[in-house]
Amino acid sequence: MNIDNVPAPAESFNYAQYLIELNRQRSDKTAYIDDQGMLSYGQLEQGATRLAAALLAAGIHREERALLLMHDCNDWPVAFLGAIYAGVLPVAVNTLLTADDYLYMLQHSRSRAVLVSAALLPVLQEAMAKGQHQVETVIVSRPGAELPAGTESLEALLRQTQPLAQAAVTSRDEPAFWLYSSGSTGKPKGTVHSHANPYWTTELYGKAVMGITEQDCCFSAAKLFFAYGLGNALTFPLSVGATSVLLGGRPTPDVIYQRLIEHRPTIFFGAPTGYAAMLAFPDLPAPDQLALRLAVSAGEALPADLAQRFTGHFGVDVIDGIGSTEMLHIYLSNRPGNVRYASSGWPVPGYDIELRGDDGSPVADGEIGDLYVRGPSAAIMYWNNREKSRDTFQGEWTKSGDKYLRNEDGSYTCSGRSDDMLRVSGMYVSPFEVEATLVEHPAVLEAAVIGKADADGLTKSKAFVVLTDGQQASEEELKAFVKDRLAPFKYPRFIEFIDELPKTATGKIQRFRLREREAEA
């Protein structure tokens, strides 16, 4: 498929307006099914255009940011598209973080509005109380009780506001929304995407690779705040008039199977950790209880055994791929009916891949190199981070931070990260951040964190800890210590106490020695 055969969006292009107009003829069709009910395409349009008007009426101006801190529910796409329709930039953030994380994001993005789930309001209020950042309006999704002063109910606001008659006149190349990408120092990077970027990921991956159509029903275990989940449950299905099933809570195997059986989605999106848990579930449903035609995996490399076992039981391909926040979705992928197990597959149409050595020159097939990708969905920049922007976005090419090798058949196999970042359950974890937290414990002298493969071949974090002379601490105590200070998913799953860490002559920790030690164990 040549990208020249795909019509580019017009120069004047508002992504929310594009989706709304695309689906106007199917206003009665169900767009979303969440834990509380259904939302039709007509209701989605009404909600988004009313919210757009409400944001402008609250004094939020075009190009200003609105933090989107919501669990997956029918209000999420209303909030996301409503902000974009108004020319306001939604900043979709992880719902699993701490008050300190949200304070940083509020201040870094200078968000003047917040759209928040009622269950997350306490942690938001804690964040706002810690800083001096001024938020003009806090809009709460599904409040179950009387709202505190300074907040408004989203439902009430939509009920009393008339729809915005005309979408903001925006360019396909101007900023439309932000997503935060983890950094090796632990500070997240505000990744700025244009109005055209989700259009391209849909055309090149959602349609050309997955073959998504109006008849599909999508269910993503990955949440909407992830770039992966945003495509799975919003941009892909809405681009063809399909239906999406949303899950507000944790995607545990029993909950996933309940929705796969009850709503009979045809496409399921998960991560390797989730597939492992699903296969280990004692009450595995029979294939004829589900309506799946395709399963998709991303977030970390999918072990061949997991994919083969899932396909063997349910009779559908699991197409593994790799994407990134910076590229918005998957750019290397296996294909339905053409799967090379334990690989990330072949370049998605419209994307080019280069593997480069340390000197920047291409490497031969079978040799490991740094992966660079070129394609139309690359982010514009990292907000207020010129150094990182220059390092990652190099002209037409984006430096992925992943190491890969190219196989003889043109497919690509992952060989880890170029830095020490870990992908744990599909989310990036910075070893440096975890190490810095561990050494805050009075009993810990030093710590080093690496990745360790579990029984399913999935990466989990392991900490090697040196205790201060005369001090004691248990493994569970240190895990709890990290959980109390960082987002819970960042705590080390394994801890080993050792007498000293391997270091260079200049005192730098040699993590590769620890990885070698782990491989020999």
Side-chain angles (χ1 to χ4, degrees):
M1 175 181 169
N2 190 324
I3 191 172
D4 295 334
N5 298 328
V6 180
E11 186 172 340
S12 178
F13 183 73
N14 181 297
Y15 185 67
Q17 179 185 21
Y18 162 75
L19 288 182
I20 286 170
E21 292 181 351
L22 199 64
N23 292 296
R24 194 160 279 158
Q25 79 278 9
R26 54 174 69 89
S27 61
D28 292 332
K29 184 178 179 181
T30 299
Y32 285 97
I33 305 169
D34 72 1
D35 300 335
Q36 296 187 18
M38 295 186 293
L39 183 78
S40 70
Y41 273 97
Q43 290 169 325
L44 176 60
E45 175 179 353
Q46 282 293 307
T49 54
R50 288 173 186 268
L51 178 63
L55 288 171
L56 297 178
I60 312 303
H61 301 106
R62 178 172 166 167
E63 298 183 6
E64 291 181 329
R65 271 73 64 191
L67 199 77
L68 178 48
L69 176 59
M70 277 189 191
H71 292 133
D72 283 17
C73 67
N74 292 343
D75 287 342
W76 206 105
V78 167
F80 184 78
L81 296 178
I84 293 175
Y85 194 85
V88 174
L89 278 61
V91 180
V93 297
N94 191 328
T95 59
L96 304 173
L97 303 180
T98 66
D100 287 339
D101 294 319
Y102 297 131
L103 173 60
Y104 172 79
M105 291 172 176
L106 281 168
Q107 293 177 333
H108 181 251
S109 67
R110 303 184 194 129
S111 291
R112 297 188 65 239
V114 181
L115 297 133
V116 60
S117 292
L120 296 168
L121 185 57
V123 70
L124 171 69
Q125 290 176 308
E126 182 184 348
M128 293 172 63
K130 289 185 173 185
Q132 302 300 315
H133 177 72
Q134 183 64 40
V135 173
E136 297 298 321
T137 184
V138 176
I139 301 170
V140 183
S141 167
R142 299 180 177 177
E146 185 175 343
L147 285 170
T151 65
E152 296 184 81
S153 161
L154 175 59
E155 183 181 3
L157 194 63
L158 297 184
R159 196 166 51 241
Q160 66 194 31
T161 305
Q162 291 301 307
L164 186 65
Q166 176 60 48
V169 179
T170 54
S171 161
R172 65 191 177 194
D173 292 330
E174 75 176 78
F177 60 95
W178 292 20
L179 301 170
Y180 270 99
S181 175
S182 296
S184 58
T185 62
K187 286 292 186 185
K189 302 183 293 292
T191 311
V192 182
H193 279 285
S194 72
H195 284 263
N197 284 1
Y199 169 87
W200 286 117
T201 59
T202 297
E203 293 297 316
L204 301 177
Y205 181 77
K207 295 181 180 179
V209 173
M210 286 171 34
I212 190 170
T213 71
E214 183 179 5
Q215 284 69 47
D216 279 309
C217 177
C218 300
F219 176 39
S220 176
K223 301 299 186 179
L224 281 160
F225 61 74
F226 289 118
Y228 178 44
L230 182 65
N232 304 343
L234 195 149
T235 63
F236 295 170
L238 295 189
S239 72
V240 294
T243 298
S244 284
V245 177
L246 298 179
L247 169 63
R250 291 182 60 240
T252 55
D254 57 333
V255 173
I256 289 174
Y257 284 132
Q258 179 188 3
R259 279 153 182 76
L260 289 175
I261 293 168
E262 179 182 355
H263 300 298
R264 300 184 65 78
T266 55
I267 306 177
F268 173 69
F269 303 86
T273 303
Y275 282 108
M278 290 170 69
L279 287 167
F281 188 63
D283 192 16
L284 208 61
D288 59 6
Q289 290 182 268
L290 278 55
L292 289 180
R293 70 167 182 85
L294 182 65
V296 181
S297 181
E300 55 188 313
L302 178 68
D305 177 64
L306 286 181
Q308 290 169 325
R309 285 163 52 204
F310 192 92
T311 299
H313 181 80
F314 290 108
V316 296
D317 286 331
V318 185
I319 57 168
D320 187 26
I322 180 177
S324 67
T325 305
E326 290 76 12
M327 295 303 294
L328 192 56
H329 213 275
I330 292 172
Y331 52 80
L332 263 181
S333 180
N334 284 274
R335 305 293 196 271
N338 185 20
V339 175
R340 174 168 177 152
Y341 292 113
S343 86
S344 298
W346 297 264
V348 168
Y351 293 87
D352 297 312
I353 302 296
E354 279 190 4
L355 300 184
R356 303 177 186 175
D358 293 339
D359 60 356
S361 59
V363 301
D365 285 1
E367 293 184 10
I368 295 173
D370 293 309
L371 189 151
Y372 287 74
V373 55
R374 176 172 62 187
S377 63
I380 299 170
M381 62 176 170
Y382 297 130
W383 178 260
N384 268 357
N385 197 333
R386 191 174 188 182
E387 181 182 358
K388 278 291 185 182
S389 293
R390 282 180 163 178
D391 183 55
T392 299
F393 306 109
Q394 302 180 9
E396 292 184 312
W397 294 91
T398 298
K399 181 181 178 182
S400 74
D402 292 295
K403 286 191 176 290
Y404 266 77
L405 60 84
R406 187 177 185 270
N407 303 305
E408 291 182 359
D409 61 359
S411 64
Y412 290 78
T413 298
C414 181
S415 297
R417 289 284 299 172
S418 303
D419 52 26
D420 285 307
M421 290 289 285
L422 303 174
R423 276 187 186 257
V424 179
S425 299
M427 292 182 280
Y428 279 118
V429 174
S430 166
F432 311 106
E433 184 181 23
V434 180
E435 291 162 2
T437 303
L438 280 166
V439 298
E440 291 177 8
H441 191 284
V444 176
L445 177 65
E446 293 180 307
V449 175
I450 65 167
K452 169 185 169 71
D454 67 8
D456 290 311
L458 301 172
T459 299
K460 299 290 185 285
S461 55
K462 176 173 180 176
F464 291 87
V465 172
V466 179
L467 295 177
T468 304
D469 285 345
Q471 297 286 331
Q472 290 186 334
S474 69
E475 182 176 342
E476 292 308 313
E477 179 184 350
L478 293 183
K479 288 180 179 179
F481 184 82
V482 175
K483 282 184 181 180
D484 286 343
R485 286 156 179 79
L486 300 179
F489 67 85
K490 297 181 180 181
Y491 84 94
R493 290 351 189 238
F494 309 98
I495 293 180
E496 181 177 338
F497 296 99
I498 59 176
D499 293 332
E500 61 179 351
L501 296 175
K503 296 176 183 176
T504 66
T506 58
K508 292 184 179 179
I509 296 172
Q510 295 175 310
R511 288 182 182 80
F512 75 93
R513 297 287 186 202
L514 296 173
R515 286 191 283 266
E516 289 174 353
R517 171 190 175 125
E518 194 61 38
E520 293 170 358

